[in-house]
Amino acid sequence: QLPLVESGGGLVQPGGSLRLSCAASGFTLDYYAIGWFRQAPGKEREGVSCISSNDDSTYYADSVKGRFTISRNNAKNTVYLEMNSLKPEDTAVYYCAAELYDSSCRGLYYGMDYWGKGTLVTVSS
C-alpha cells in the first residue's frame, strides 16, 4: 500500500517541460503540506518545492525557482509540479511526500510523514 503515487516522469530534451503528478490513496491531501524532492545518482536527496497545508504558500529551491511551479487540486486529490526549461542537472528520481498540518513547509527541510516511490525524470538530448 502506497500512500502517494507519482506519475509523469520520462525523457525530455533540455529546455523542454514535464508535469509531474502526485495522487493520494487512502487519505485526502488538503490537510497536508506536499513536498517534491529529488535524488540524482551520487547525490543526497534534495527538497525541490512544497505547497503548505494551510494557505497554499509555495516554496522553491533556488535551483528551480522561476522554472518549476507547484500547485494543488483538492478536488482531484492531486498535487502537480510543472517543470519548464529543464536542464540536464534536473535529471533525478522525483518523489512527492506529505506532512500533516504543516502550514510552513518545514517538512521540506526536516522530514515528511508519507512518501511515494518516485518517478524518473531524465533530461538529455
Side-chain angles (χ1 to χ4, degrees):
Q1 180 180 337
L2 295 175
L4 299 167
V5 178
E6 304 95 336
S7 62
L11 176 64
V12 64
Q13 293 185 350
S17 299
L18 284 174
R19 186 180 72 168
L20 305 183
S21 299
C22 175
S25 60
F27 66 98
T28 58
L29 291 177
D30 53 344
Y31 296 115
Y32 292 79
I34 306 298
W36 284 96
F37 299 79
R38 67 186 182 187
Q39 188 164 23
K43 294 186 176 181
E44 294 185 346
R45 187 180 64 202
E46 300 176 305
V48 174
S49 185
C50 182
I51 186 164
S52 74
S53 63
N54 188 30
D55 61 358
D56 283 351
S57 297
T58 57
Y59 302 83
Y60 299 94
D62 288 341
S63 59
V64 307
K65 193 175 300 182
R67 300 188 297 120
F68 291 11
T69 302
I70 190 170
S71 62
R72 182 196 298 268
N73 189 327
N74 288 334
K76 296 182 178 180
N77 210 29
T78 301
V79 170
Y80 304 97
L81 185 68
E82 184 74 34
M83 305 185 295
N84 300 308
S85 301
L86 284 163
K87 305 174 181 179
E89 51 263 46
D90 294 318
T91 296
V93 176
Y94 284 72
Y95 302 87
C96 69
E99 178 78 3
L100 181 64
Y101 298 136
D102 186 355
S103 61
S104 61
C105 277
R106 65 180 180 86
L108 188 67
Y109 309 99
Y110 300 108
M112 297 286 197
D113 293 321
Y114 305 104
W115 291 81
K117 69 177 182 178
T119 185
L120 177 63
V121 173
T122 302
V123 185
S124 177
S125 60

